[in-house]
Amino acid sequence: MKVSPALKDRALLRRVLGLVGPYWFFVASSLICAAVSVAAQLLVPILCGDAIDAMLGMGRVDFALVGRVAFAIALSTAIAAAAQWVLAACNNRIAFRVSRDLRLKAMAKLQRLPLAYLDRHPSGDLVSRMIADVDTFSDGLLLGFTQFFSGVLTIAGTLVLMARIHLGVTAVVVVLTPLSLFAAGFITRRTYRYFRDQTAIRGEQTALVEEQIQGQRVVQAFGHEEESLAAFDDVNDRLRDASVKAVFFSSLTNPVTRFVNSVVYAAVGLTGALLALGGGISVGQLSVFLSYANQYAKPFNEISGVVTELQNALACIQRVFDLLDAPDQIPDAAGAAVLEPDGRVKLENVSFSYVPERPLIEHFHLDVQPGQRIAIVGPTGCGKTTLINLLLRFYDVNDGAISAAGQDIRTVTRASLRKSYGMVLQDTWLRAGTIRENIAYGKPEATLEEITAAAQAAHAHSFIRRLPQGYDTVIAEDGGNLSQGQKQLLCIARVMLCLPPMLILDEATSSIDTRTEIKIQKAFAAMMEGRTSFIVAHRLSTIREADVILVMRDGKIIEQGDHRSLLAQGGFYAALYNSQFDTAP
């Protein structure tokens, strides 16, 4: 069933109000301060009118009354200013706390999202939603609370006070008011689409910029600068077009409403002047009417600007809500057990595909005994890394089952399953922080002695000692100030520190020089002793000692055995192995 845009907008507004709900005290305080400020400001024209009527002519001025009125005006102005200060403080607190809550929810949501969602959405777009979109929403919310409440109260208050002075002149104002509302509504209804497009393209641009920054070395190495600039220009041009349209249509609101409000002011002045000439109202009352007509018109200009900003804010918050509403990863089964690993892993008739129409792994069988070293080889795209994702339950199988220690991994907690594995990937990841914090990522309570021992086992200790502050050296995000090999050594040390019952090594030494690799292989051999290990490798020289080598192709095991037996078969593995050691004539 298709939901109408009007219903969607109402549901969105209700949800936004739900975000503000926990801060009802500040909302109530804001409303009270807005009422006090408006009342104090609306009192000033009446006091000015009284002062004017006390000046009847030369020598006919009631100075005592004028003095009292001047004091009352000063007091009202002071009260209005104090109320505005408290109002701003309350509104700031509401807007910034709502922003904080949204970011906390978004960050918590990222921890619950399945890996498939993160694979499909650029990280730059997610960053844009959490930072830029939340900021824009906060600005719109702050503007709304600051000006919208005061504007509505000012409009209502001026109408009531004008009606008490003269209903006829008030009727002129009321009759002409719908023109301003119609003009503002007509324009703002058309700006939402452009603001929505603007926020979506801005997220795309953020993703592109982040991608280019991360891959700048590759961009320059391949001379791809012109193409990168062209791609950025394309996104930037589309953002410019959407932004220009959004700003242009939204900027029409203020001059249109100002024109209508000027018409209202002129009508009030003309009508009031005619009544004053006929004795219907006094000159002081006419001045009050003109002041109120101006004050009555001003909120329409402000509210029209607020509505425009709110359109932008709603377009941004919708993108944040889309992130918050994304389906969580399948939760652990009710009463899920804590896995007690014994090294046994079994895959029974496993089938999996990222896209339903493109099968990847089909009817896969594997029975791993405790302590075995399982090497997985094959051409790119055959399903090696996908198999690792399934073992760790980053993805769930489409058919079949994977068990560890005799338990289906879908019946145990993800935390206990993943704690059972130590993983070193080809793609390294380090956080911004010290060397010590990065090595101890999986074991924060580790002592410096334990961290040093793990670094020594990973042959990382020597280069760490040469760093300015040793283990307390702060590295940039993703280890940007370290070489790729050094980053990989730190990732290996991270696993050496935890020493879990099972290991996954996905091209763990791909970025390390040959001499260090030999040392690392010896360290791995010691670490893998008595531990079930899965080794994904392209360099087949690193897996000769594996107990079982699985040769994969198109998601299936086409050969299985140890190094010697597979070479003796003279099949696909033998051809793959020999191709790495053939020398050109």
Side-chain angles (χ1 to χ4, degrees):
M1 181 178 177
K2 192 174 181 180
V3 181
S4 69
L7 287 176
K8 285 184 179 179
D9 290 344
R10 283 198 290 271
L12 183 60
L13 286 172
R14 283 197 298 270
R15 195 165 179 182
V16 169
L17 291 175
L19 294 173
V20 179
Y23 306 109
W24 61 268
F25 174 79
F26 294 109
V27 174
S29 300
S30 179
L31 286 171
I32 292 170
C33 289
V36 171
S37 174
V38 169
Q41 291 177 38
L42 293 181
L43 181 61
V44 171
I46 295 177
L47 295 173
C48 289
D50 292 342
I52 291 172
D53 286 339
M55 303 175 190
L56 301 178
M58 184 70 68
R60 300 171 61 194
V61 178
D62 188 344
F63 288 102
L65 177 59
V66 171
R68 290 194 298 271
V69 168
F71 176 78
I73 290 174
L75 182 61
S76 297
T77 304
I79 292 173
Q84 282 287 345
W85 185 85
V86 177
L87 171 68
C90 291
N91 292 342
N92 278 328
R93 197 161 281 203
I94 294 168
F96 296 143
R97 289 194 178 186
V98 168
S99 298
R100 178 201 60 190
D101 294 346
L102 277 172
R103 289 200 174 104
L104 287 173
K105 289 179 181 178
M107 193 62 194
K109 182 69 177 184
L110 286 179
Q111 313 308 313
R112 302 194 304 270
L113 286 172
L115 194 63
Y117 181 92
L118 301 177
D119 286 342
R120 291 194 303 266
H121 292 79
S123 57
D125 181 64
L126 297 178
V127 170
S128 178
R129 296 182 194 220
M130 293 181 63
I131 304 300
D133 289 343
V134 172
D135 275 343
T136 303
F137 171 70
S138 174
D139 291 342
L141 192 66
L142 182 60
L143 192 64
F145 277 112
T146 302
Q147 296 185 0
F148 190 77
F149 290 154
S150 298
V152 170
L153 290 174
T154 299
I155 292 169
T158 51
L159 281 175
V160 170
L161 292 174
M162 284 191 293
R164 292 186 62 182
I165 298 173
H166 198 284
L167 286 174
V169 181
T170 306
V172 173
V173 175
V174 173
V175 169
L176 294 175
T177 296
L179 291 175
S180 182
L181 297 175
F182 173 78
F186 179 82
I187 296 170
T188 53
R189 279 195 300 271
R190 283 154 179 78
T191 59
Y192 178 74
R193 178 167 62 90
Y194 295 118
F195 279 121
R196 183 185 59 201
D197 293 344
Q198 180 187 29
T199 55
I201 298 171
R202 186 170 56 218
E204 183 182 344
Q205 185 187 56
T206 305
L208 177 64
V209 170
E210 183 187 40
E211 178 186 82
Q212 294 299 313
I213 292 174
Q214 289 183 346
Q216 193 56 227
R217 289 185 180 90
V218 177
V219 170
Q220 293 181 358
F222 283 87
H224 207 265
E225 292 92 340
E226 294 298 327
E227 290 82 354
S228 297
L229 284 171
F232 180 80
D233 285 341
D234 175 65
V235 176
N236 208 38
D237 288 343
R238 288 190 285 117
L239 179 60
R240 178 201 61 201
D241 292 341
S243 300
V244 166
K245 290 177 181 177
V247 172
F248 174 75
F249 280 98
S250 64
S251 64
L252 290 177
T253 307
N254 196 276
V256 169
T257 53
R258 280 184 182 277
F259 172 77
V260 175
N261 293 337
S262 296
V263 173
V264 172
Y265 187 84
V268 169
L270 179 61
T271 307
L274 293 174
L275 285 172
L277 289 174
I281 58 175
S282 67
V283 175
Q285 289 176 323
L286 175 59
S287 72
V288 172
F289 257 114
L290 291 174
S291 295
Y292 281 154
N294 191 40
Q295 284 187 291
Y296 175 81
K298 185 179 178 183
F300 283 101
N301 297 327
E302 293 176 347
I303 291 173
S304 64
V306 169
V307 170
T308 298
E309 288 298 323
L310 286 177
Q311 294 284 346
N312 191 12
L314 290 176
C316 290
I317 196 62
Q318 182 61 65
R319 281 168 41 83
V320 180
F321 285 153
D322 288 343
L323 170 63
L324 296 177
D325 293 340
D328 289 347
Q329 68 178 5
I330 299 172
D332 291 335
V338 175
L339 179 65
E340 298 291 343
D342 61 4
R344 287 182 297 145
V345 178
K346 191 173 185 180
L347 289 84
E348 299 178 272
N349 199 34
V350 167
S351 295
F352 174 78
S353 63
Y354 293 103
V355 182
E357 59 271 15
R358 293 173 57 190
L360 180 57
I361 294 178
E362 296 184 283
H363 310 297
F364 190 94
H365 293 272
L366 179 63
D367 193 353
V368 182
Q369 297 304 310
Q372 279 191 319
R373 302 179 190 180
I374 308 300
I376 308 167
V377 301
T380 300
C382 68
K384 301 186 297 296
T385 300
T386 298
L387 181 59
I388 300 304
N389 287 334
L390 295 177
L391 289 175
L392 290 167
R393 209 184 165 199
F394 290 139
Y395 290 86
D396 280 320
V397 298
N398 299 136
D399 290 303
I402 301 175
S403 60
Q407 293 179 278
D408 190 320
I409 63 173
R410 289 171 293 194
T411 66
V412 301
T413 63
R414 283 186 177 87
S416 64
L417 171 66
R418 293 168 185 170
K419 194 174 182 180
S420 303
Y421 286 97
M423 184 170 63
V424 182
L425 300 179
Q426 180 177 6
D427 297 326
T428 59
W429 180 83
L430 298 172
R431 54 175 288 200
T434 65
I435 295 288
R436 181 193 300 195
E437 290 169 344
N438 274 280
I439 295 177
Y441 190 75
K443 191 179 178 181
E445 72 280 4
T447 64
L448 180 59
E449 289 74 18
E450 291 175 315
I451 293 171
T452 303
Q456 289 172 336
H459 298 275
H461 181 67
S462 60
F463 91 79
I464 295 174
R465 282 189 312 168
R466 294 193 298 270
L467 295 174
Q469 283 83 40
Y471 285 86
D472 292 320
T473 300
V474 176
I475 59 176
E477 181 184 358
D478 202 23
N481 49 349
L482 298 177
S483 71
Q484 186 64 30
Q486 288 172 332
K487 290 191 286 186
Q488 202 159 37
L489 288 176
L490 291 181
C491 292
I492 293 170
R494 183 187 291 163
V495 174
M496 294 281 193
L497 178 64
C498 296
L499 281 181
M502 296 184 285
L503 299 172
I504 292 175
L505 308 176
D506 188 352
E507 287 296 319
T509 58
S510 61
S511 300
I512 296 172
D513 65 90
T514 305
R515 183 180 177 185
T516 306
E517 181 184 6
I518 294 171
K519 295 179 180 179
I520 291 294
Q521 291 297 342
K522 291 180 181 178
F524 277 161
M527 186 172 65
M528 289 187 288
E529 193 67 39
R531 291 182 172 83
T532 302
S533 306
F534 295 88
I535 309 161
V536 176
H538 288 294
R539 288 187 286 184
L540 304 187
S541 61
T542 63
I543 59 167
R544 295 176 187 174
E545 303 303 320
D547 297 310
V548 179
I549 298 175
L550 304 178
V551 185
M552 294 186 66
R553 191 173 188 177
D554 301 326
K556 298 176 182 175
I557 297 176
I558 59 172
E559 295 177 12
Q560 181 174 339
D562 60 19
H563 176 69
R564 293 178 182 274
S565 64
L566 289 175
L567 282 182
Q569 290 179 22
F572 184 77
Y573 176 82
L576 198 63
Y577 182 83
N578 291 327
S579 69
Q580 295 190 5
F581 298 98
D582 280 346
T583 56

